[in-house]
Amino acid sequence: MEHGYGESSIFAADVNDSPPPRHGTQFQRAKELAVSALRNLRRVVDTGAVPPEFTERLLLDQATDFSYIMAAISLLGLNTIGLLYFDFMHTSGTELRAPAMLAVVLCYAGLIYKARNWLKFITPSAQDAKAYIAAMAQLLVLLGVFWSLLLFLLVRQADLTRLCLLYGIMVGCLATPVMVSPAICAIAYWLPVSFGICVSVVSAGRVDSFAMVDLLAFILLTGFCILYINRRLNERAVGAIRLEENAEVIKLLLRDFEESASDWLWETNAMLELQRPSQRLAQVARRPAEQLLGIFPAVLLGESVNKEQRPGSALERLNRAIAERSPFRDLVVPVTINGEERYWSLSGKPFLDKRGRFAGYHGVGSDITSQRRQQEQISFLARHDSLTKLPNRVLFSEALHEACEHCKNTSIALLCLDLDNFKIVNDTLGHATGDALLVAVAERLRGCIREFDMATRLGGDEFAAILVTDKPEEALAVAKRIIERMARPFQFDGQIVKVGISIGVAMAPRDGTTPTKLMKNADLALYRAKEEGRGTVRFYDPAMDERVRERRALQSALHRALAQREFYLEYQPVIDLATRRIAGAEALIRWRHPERGLLPPSAFIPLAEDSGFIREIGKWVLHEACATAAAWPEPASIAVNLSPLQFRDPKLACQVSEALASSGLQPGRLEVEIVESVMLDADAGVKQTLRDLRAQGVRIALDDFGTGYSSLSYLRRFPFDKIKIDQSFIRDLGESQDGSAIILAIIGLAQSMNMVVTAEGVETAEQAALLGSFGCAQAQGYLFHHPMPPEAFSRLLAQNPPHPARPPAG
């Protein structure tokens, strides 16, 4: 039979033109098998014959495919019977019609039942397949007979409309067996149903001779298609089987010559005894070749063959494949060689003798220990933090999802942990010390939890832990243990480092049953712990959700407030202690909320900083304050607080210049206040911004001096114009000797560096007198004036104008 294969086809290739052997007898043997396989495949494809050795495989494959097709056809047939029943239920003649329908239904049920049982058959044989196909053929004969009877009855009872349905069903009955293989089953149904349809059409008494001729032609066509299609399917199936088996054999035999020298060939006889072990195999197994003669795979794997026999393991699949005489590919099995555990990859294919009986296995193996260990290392790094070796966010997420799925039966506590003051350590002592600190923290964290609990590093200085417990007091005890151990000093290269840790706890299922909700609630608890002083533990409380909602609502209202001019400024006078005249004022923002009334800066400035909207608010404050101060008599100055986020904005100097230009205020009358944390985190951009402001003539004040991370180094690096002493020092002035000494030292420091000192929060005359005696130049507080609207401050200036000369430094 001509199939149109060209000269370049695999069937036309002259395999005898291959290069001379390079590897001796094994290569020659592989070449001979390859030639034989290709010739056999060509014979099968060209002739369409079914070789005896493939009969069993073909029968088993046909039986399986036939089962699926018959199940689908049966379901469609049952649906058709249902339609006929409801369509004819109100017509006469049910005495024979109903039993005929029932007989068809029973036939379909029998077909489905047998098909289902075959598909559940684990290791069927060729004899089983023959018996199954014969039984199905008998059922199909009965089905064809009962369909013929049913159609005969219905045609005689049907009107013109129902005849259309019946003719459609007849066409379907004739066409259905074309899809069925093997042919014996298709013919078993086709013959009786074809005869029955012809009889039914003739018995209707309304037959057109041309239609009858056409019907017979269609019946003959379906019969031809059944035979032809089945034959072609058999040819292709045999060709595919031959190609699959021979290609696999060729690939396994030549693998040693095409891949790395670490592979080896192996072969067994029908008794699974290893045959002719190669020197390469003996070298890998570290045993003499004569010691490798035995039953496969025990002779190769030794004691390892009895390990990992759990379902689904590689050894279990290997033993099952050998017991079933089925092929296996790239099964990675553990092997113990001289006390060292190694990993081998084994592939094998059963081969048959001339009579189609199992003759043994041949295959290939390789030592993949190094690749396996590399894969394990890669897998470990993908799911663990490279620095601390704790589980990373990926593994933590998987564990948390699994824990949440079972939390109704096994409760858990989720701890979110955040180091306190880690950024300071990282910035002041360097990243190397910061990394060493994280490693040490991870070690202490491991020591605080049980083996079945999990600690993880989420990133940066954020950690988490999953505790298997349903007792909040147990989670609290673990959290306190962590806090206590983290509070102990760390030592790196002779340096003592101290950090703290804040912990938020959420319990599942009490506080949530999904990872997202549980993490959110634990984060809320952590936020509360840090907000309330750090170094503490807080459990999630539903009231935290309400607070978060309020916070979000307030954050959302911030944007509207600026557009609707809900913000306004008040001005607190700054008094020259020597002359008791007004030297200027500090601009203080207020928010007149339409629902909550007057809000102080502490209620919304942190929200604005978190959202980044502080830049827009700060820009508005700067322009508003400069415009107001421009109308004051000289030399009254205006002090404006700027957020750390504003100082990190490279456009800040330009914004200040624009505010001065648009208001007409002289740069020397504007004073911007900076907090100590800005100087601690100051990078090159912040320092350049400060230099640009000084170049414009703007004065710069260090606010709340002494409350943060006061350092003389940044006072030396950048010459401020003013230092403002925080009110916490002023509160105890006159009552605490230490407080007075600190204030005196700050004033002395400022005078030596030619800086003005302003005391904040002065509330008593005694405090003002002491400050004056210490040499403090300026003060502000309720003793002098409360913050006031711009109109009131303008009237106050008119009554008490500023001294025309600029206050002296110190």
Side-chain angles (χ1 to χ4, degrees):
M1 183 183 293
E2 180 61 36
H3 292 278
Y5 296 107
E7 288 299 322
S8 62
S9 167
I10 186 173
F11 300 105
D14 187 353
V15 294
N16 292 318
D17 290 339
S18 57
R22 294 174 297 163
H23 299 277
T25 58
Q26 284 186 323
F27 185 87
Q28 185 65 28
R29 180 164 164 263
K31 190 182 82 169
E32 291 172 357
L33 282 175
V35 171
S36 174
L38 293 176
R39 287 175 176 170
N40 288 338
L41 179 59
R42 180 174 183 177
R43 186 190 76 244
V44 171
V45 175
D46 284 351
T47 63
V50 180
E53 62 265 30
F54 295 129
T55 303
E56 180 178 355
R57 170 75 181 275
L58 185 60
L59 273 174
L60 293 174
D61 287 349
Q62 281 184 333
T64 300
D65 294 338
F66 172 67
S67 299
Y68 284 111
I69 292 174
M70 285 313 304
I73 290 175
S74 298
L75 291 175
L76 179 61
L78 290 173
N79 178 68
T80 304
I81 290 296
L83 293 175
L84 290 173
Y85 175 80
F86 286 105
D87 197 20
F88 284 85
M89 65 185 299
H90 297 298
T91 61
S92 59
T94 60
E95 297 80 13
L96 293 176
R97 186 174 70 234
M101 285 186 177
L102 179 59
V104 173
V105 169
L106 291 176
C107 288
Y108 279 131
L111 290 170
I112 293 175
Y113 175 78
K114 284 188 171 294
R116 183 172 178 272
N117 285 344
W118 176 261
L119 293 174
K120 292 170 63 178
F121 211 151
I122 298 176
T123 55
S125 64
Q127 293 300 323
D128 296 327
K130 290 178 181 178
Y132 167 68
I133 290 173
M136 294 292 276
Q138 293 172 6
L139 274 175
L140 286 168
V141 169
L142 292 175
L143 179 64
V145 171
F146 289 132
W147 258 119
S148 299
L149 176 61
L150 180 60
L151 291 172
F152 176 80
L153 295 173
L154 294 177
V155 165
R156 300 171 64 85
Q157 300 169 7
D159 54 19
L160 184 60
T161 302
R162 290 188 174 91
L163 276 177
C164 294
L165 173 63
L166 293 176
Y167 289 150
I169 292 173
M170 291 177 185
V171 172
C173 288
L174 289 172
T176 296
V178 174
M179 299 181 290
V180 176
S181 177
I184 184 65
C185 292
I187 297 297
Y189 174 77
W190 175 79
L191 280 175
V193 85
S194 298
F195 177 79
I197 287 174
C198 291
V199 172
S200 299
V201 171
V202 172
S203 67
R206 292 165 282 182
V207 182
D208 181 81
S209 58
F210 294 103
M212 195 65 192
V213 171
D214 189 68
L215 174 62
L216 292 173
F218 182 76
I219 291 173
L220 292 175
L221 175 63
T222 56
F224 169 79
C225 289
I226 290 170
L227 297 175
Y228 180 81
I229 291 175
N230 269 270
R231 180 175 180 275
R232 294 299 293 168
L233 288 175
N234 287 345
E235 291 174 356
R236 296 196 178 191
V238 170
I241 294 171
R242 173 70 79 170
L243 180 63
E244 176 188 338
E245 295 196 357
N246 285 281
E248 187 68 16
V249 171
I250 293 170
K251 181 178 180 181
L252 288 171
L253 290 175
L254 297 180
R255 186 171 179 179
D256 186 57
F257 309 104
E258 297 173 349
E259 298 184 354
S260 66
S262 64
D263 296 353
W264 66 88
L265 297 174
W266 58 271
E267 184 177 355
T268 74
N269 58 19
M271 303 299 294
L272 295 179
E273 295 172 336
L274 200 63
Q275 303 292 300
R276 299 178 295 276
S278 65
Q279 288 300 315
R280 174 60 186 161
L281 175 55
Q283 180 185 356
V284 172
R286 300 177 190 173
R287 283 187 283 169
E290 55 269 18
Q291 293 185 10
L292 295 174
L293 298 175
I295 302 298
F296 178 85
V299 68
L300 288 182
L301 305 185
E303 298 177 356
S304 300
V305 77
N306 298 318
K307 297 179 181 178
E308 293 190 25
Q309 287 297 319
R310 66 181 186 278
S313 69
L315 282 172
E316 190 271 338
R317 284 184 286 148
L318 174 62
N319 289 328
R320 186 175 72 243
I322 293 172
E324 297 173 355
R325 303 296 189 261
S326 60
F328 52 90
R329 177 189 293 276
D330 296 330
L331 290 180
V332 178
V333 294
V335 185
T336 302
I337 301 177
N338 297 338
E340 178 188 3
E341 186 175 57
R342 301 189 69 81
Y343 294 93
W344 288 0
S345 174
L346 298 178
S347 298
K349 177 76 177 177
F351 61 93
L352 308 177
D353 58 18
K354 294 181 179 180
R355 297 182 181 180
R357 295 177 301 187
F358 174 74
Y361 272 93
H362 43 215
V364 65
S366 60
D367 189 323
I368 61 165
T369 305
S370 59
Q371 298 95 308
R372 175 68 176 251
R373 288 173 180 165
Q374 289 175 0
Q375 290 173 356
E376 290 175 351
Q377 180 67 11
I378 292 171
S379 177
F380 179 86
L381 293 176
R383 298 159 66 86
H384 290 77
D385 178 52
S386 59
L387 178 64
T388 64
K389 301 302 184 288
L390 287 176
N392 62 11
R393 189 180 290 272
V394 174
L395 184 54
F396 169 75
S397 178
E398 293 174 1
L400 186 58
H401 274 80
E402 184 177 354
C404 287
E405 288 177 1
H406 302 94
C407 68
K408 292 185 179 178
N409 298 322
T410 306
S411 300
I412 63 167
L414 175 61
L415 279 62
C416 282
L417 309 94
D418 190 82
L419 292 180
D420 301 329
N421 303 329
F422 173 74
K423 190 175 188 306
I424 299 172
V425 174
N426 212 34
D427 291 344
T428 56
L429 301 181
H431 293 290
T433 302
D435 289 347
L437 176 61
L438 291 174
V439 173
V441 166
E443 286 299 320
R444 291 189 184 182
L445 187 56
R446 284 191 191 97
C448 294
I449 62 176
R450 299 162 296 189
E451 291 183 359
F452 51 83
D453 296 327
M454 173 187 275
T456 183
R457 182 188 177 206
L458 299 178
D461 61 343
E462 297 178 5
F463 295 81
I466 300 175
L467 310 180
V468 180
T469 179
D470 59 349
K471 300 175 180 177
E473 57 271 19
E474 191 171 308
L476 178 61
V478 173
K480 287 184 175 180
R481 187 186 313 138
I482 294 172
I483 291 173
E484 185 273 329
R485 293 192 184 178
M486 296 304 171
R488 299 174 186 175
F490 296 86
Q491 186 170 357
F492 305 105
D493 297 329
Q495 290 183 315
I496 301 298
V497 177
K498 288 186 178 182
V499 294
I501 196 165
S502 300
I503 303 176
V505 184
M507 305 290 297
R510 186 188 71 183
D511 300 329
T513 57
T514 64
T516 302
K517 187 171 184 181
L518 207 58
M519 277 296 295
K520 185 199 77 169
N521 292 341
D523 276 335
L524 287 175
L526 174 62
Y527 180 81
R528 174 64 64 86
K530 296 184 78 70
E531 192 179 51
E532 294 182 359
R534 305 190 176 191
T536 59
V537 55
R538 290 292 180 268
F539 280 74
Y540 169 74
D541 187 322
M544 294 178 182
D545 272 335
E546 181 62 29
R547 183 171 180 179
V548 168
R549 281 193 291 270
E550 291 179 0
R551 178 184 174 89
R552 288 176 180 169
L554 202 60
Q555 204 169 41
S556 175
L558 277 173
H559 298 266
R560 182 201 64 225
L562 188 59
Q564 298 185 3
R565 301 187 65 82
E566 294 175 7
F567 293 122
Y568 69 96
L569 297 181
E570 289 188 342
Y571 299 88
Q572 184 172 33
V574 177
I575 304 300
D576 186 326
L577 287 177
T579 63
R580 293 304 175 106
R581 291 192 174 187
I582 296 175
E586 180 180 2
L588 303 173
I589 188 171
R590 301 289 187 264
W591 183 7
R592 189 178 290 104
H593 195 280
E595 298 173 0
R596 303 187 184 188
L598 188 63
L599 297 180
S602 59
F604 61 89
I605 292 298
L607 292 177
E609 290 179 335
D610 290 344
S611 65
F613 193 61
I614 190 67
R615 293 186 177 91
E616 298 298 322
I617 295 177
K619 184 178 180 181
W620 175 84
V621 170
L622 190 62
H623 280 263
E624 184 74 11
C626 288
T628 301
W632 298 344
E634 296 183 9
S637 62
I638 181 67
V640 177
N641 290 282
L642 295 183
S643 166
L645 287 179
Q646 289 179 270
F647 275 100
R648 295 189 184 97
D649 186 353
K651 299 179 181 178
L652 177 61
C654 294
Q655 294 174 2
V656 171
S657 178
E658 291 173 1
L660 292 172
S662 61
S663 63
L665 183 69
Q666 295 178 5
R669 295 175 61 193
L670 174 61
E671 186 178 282
V672 296
E673 297 184 359
I674 182 173
V675 294
E676 291 182 61
S677 61
V678 174
M679 296 306 302
L680 185 67
D681 299 334
D683 54 16
V686 172
K687 294 174 183 177
Q688 184 60 46
T689 297
L690 291 173
R691 284 192 289 268
D692 291 343
L693 292 175
R694 285 295 297 271
Q696 293 181 31
V698 175
R699 304 179 69 207
I700 300 175
L702 184 60
D703 196 15
D704 298 335
F705 184 78
T707 59
Y709 310 100
S710 302
S711 173
L712 298 180
S713 61
Y714 57 74
L715 288 178
R716 185 179 65 255
R717 289 196 306 268
F718 190 85
F720 292 94
D721 296 287
K722 178 185 286 189
I723 292 178
K724 300 189 72 173
I725 302 176
D726 187 70
Q727 60 182 348
S728 61
F729 293 99
I730 306 302
R731 189 177 301 115
D732 299 328
L733 185 61
E735 300 177 4
S736 169
Q737 186 175 358
D738 292 341
S740 299
I742 292 173
I743 293 174
L744 196 56
I746 293 174
I747 294 173
L749 173 66
Q751 289 175 342
S752 66
M753 302 183 73
N754 198 31
M755 298 179 187
V756 177
V757 177
T758 299
E760 297 181 298
V762 179
E763 297 183 355
T764 67
E766 181 184 2
Q767 293 171 350
L770 284 172
L771 288 169
S773 66
F774 290 163
C776 181
Q778 297 177 348
Q780 64 184 97
Y782 290 168
L783 171 65
F784 306 110
H785 299 283
H786 285 66
M788 60 187 68
E791 300 82 5
F793 183 73
S794 296
R795 290 194 297 269
L796 183 64
L797 276 177
Q799 299 168 4
N800 186 11
H803 196 280
R806 184 169 178 165

